[in-house]
Amino acid sequence: NIRATCEFIKDAPNLLGIELLPYNEMAGAKYRLVGMEYKGDFKKPSEDVIAAAKNIIKEYSIECYVQ
């Protein structure tokens, strides 16, 4: 929950900002390299979802970086 996270960290004295790291679909390939089965069913968020999260974070006057 983005809002709950912002509420929790908004008054942190050394907070520089939040960095949003969208899920990388290549992450599942690492499992095969070590002989494990990947069971994640994650999808990369759309640009609209990332923009909405960034706007919520900005409501709390927290810098937001998207990678």
Side-chain angles (χ1 to χ4, degrees), residues 10-23:
K10 69 181 180 180
D11 295 321
N14 297 320
L15 178 65
L16 299 176
I18 291 178
E19 193 169 347
L20 297 178
L21 303 171
Y23 177 72

Side-chain angles (χ1 to χ4, degrees), residues 25-58:
E25 295 170 349
M26 298 296 291
K30 296 176 186 176
Y31 280 75
R32 287 189 294 277
L33 293 174
V34 295
M36 296 175 67
E37 180 183 352
Y38 181 68
K39 296 180 182 181
D41 187 27
F42 302 103
K43 304 284 187 262
K44 183 176 180 179
S46 70
E47 293 296 320
D48 290 341
V49 170
I50 293 170
K54 190 173 181 176
N55 287 335
I56 292 169
I57 293 165
K58 285 184 175 184

